[in-house]
Amino acid sequence: MALTHGAVSVALVALATPALPDTVALPLLVVAFLGGILPDLDIVADHRKTLHYPVGYSVLAFLLAVGYVVAPSGTLLLAAVLVGSAAVHTCSDVLAGSVEAEPWNPTTERAVYNHALGAWHRPRRYVRYSGAPEDWLLALVAAATAIRSPASGSTVEAALFWLVAVAGGYTLVRRRFSALSARFPSRLAAVLPAVTVEETESGATTVAIRFRS
Ligand SMILES: [Zn+2]
């Protein structure tokens, strides 16, 4: 679940940073969250492949971190945190379930695509699927860790409380959600009339509309 990845990234950065003024800590934690959720935007494309680069993000994050050590700048640090969070996300996807629509009934052995190897990593299924109870528990632990750290101010803490609440709601409806979306198109098809258009040899066109009962 993207929210869990976001919370884990925020927790990692919060643990790595001491008490900083809000003006410094806030952008760091926000960028960590964004980097943690960004790879999952490929849910509308080839999920766990199009925006998932476990090797690419790791190498780039390392180079950005080296760059920051050599010539410290705020932009480099934010970029390193953004890409580093995406790296943690894509590498940790192997610990989760596979990519199919109902991962609690696994049919594939695809966890995350490795563009460097040109192959899929198999899922370890420690977290069985997005929205599983253990997924929410992980989000809760990550959020609590970040909240307890000195790096998070009141804004971040309030946001994390909301994150845990929304993730909890998602966990409650997750399995029904998928069943609903699978059932909806067939129900719709049963109600809508079937339309067929035929061209005859003489050039005339017939349109037949059939209503199903
Ligand atoms: Zn992912």
Side-chain angles (χ1 to χ4, degrees):
M1 160 158 63
L3 290 178
T4 308
H5 285 295
V8 167
S9 300
V10 170
L12 289 175
V13 171
L15 284 177
T17 43
L20 294 168
D22 236 18
T23 47
V24 182
L26 192 60
L28 274 181
L29 297 175
V30 168
V31 163
F33 180 75
L34 291 178
I37 63 169
L38 276 177
D40 275 349
L41 290 182
D42 66 11
I43 190 98
V44 292
D46 214 347
H47 187 38
R48 300 240 188 113
K49 182 176 182 183
T50 308
L51 290 177
H52 283 61
Y53 292 86
V55 177
Y57 291 146
S58 302
V59 171
L60 186 58
F62 176 74
L63 293 176
L64 287 166
V66 170
Y68 175 74
V69 171
V70 174
S73 84
T75 312
L76 265 181
L77 181 60
L78 289 174
V81 168
L82 182 79
V83 181
S85 299
V88 170
H89 170 143
T90 49
C91 290
S92 61
D93 270 346
V94 295
L95 305 175
S98 35
V99 292
E100 59 274 303
E102 295 192 354
W104 47 91
N105 297 322
T107 52
T108 72
E109 283 296 302
R110 292 175 166 195
V112 64
Y113 192 75
N114 187 322
H115 295 262
L117 296 175
W120 288 86
H121 285 292
R122 70 177 175 85
R124 290 347 185 244
R125 305 190 201 280
Y126 293 116
V127 173
R128 292 164 299 156
Y129 57 90
S130 155
E134 64 270 25
D135 188 21
W136 180 75
L137 204 63
L138 195 60
L140 179 70
V141 170
T145 306
I147 287 169
R148 285 181 60 89
S149 83
S152 60
S154 54
T155 312
V156 171
E157 285 170 9
L160 287 169
F161 274 118
W162 274 105
L163 182 148
V164 170
V166 171
Y170 176 66
T171 300
L172 287 176
V173 300
R174 174 67 175 95
R175 291 178 73 151
R176 250 168 290 165
F177 189 66
S178 150
L180 269 183
S181 58
R183 226 177 300 147
F184 188 67
S186 57
R187 278 195 186 170
L188 200 64
V191 175
L192 292 177
V195 180
T196 50
V197 180
E198 271 171 40
E199 298 256 333
T200 61
E201 274 174 44
S202 58
T205 307
T206 58
V207 179
I209 301 175
R210 240 170 294 117
F211 290 92
R212 281 170 265 233
S213 56

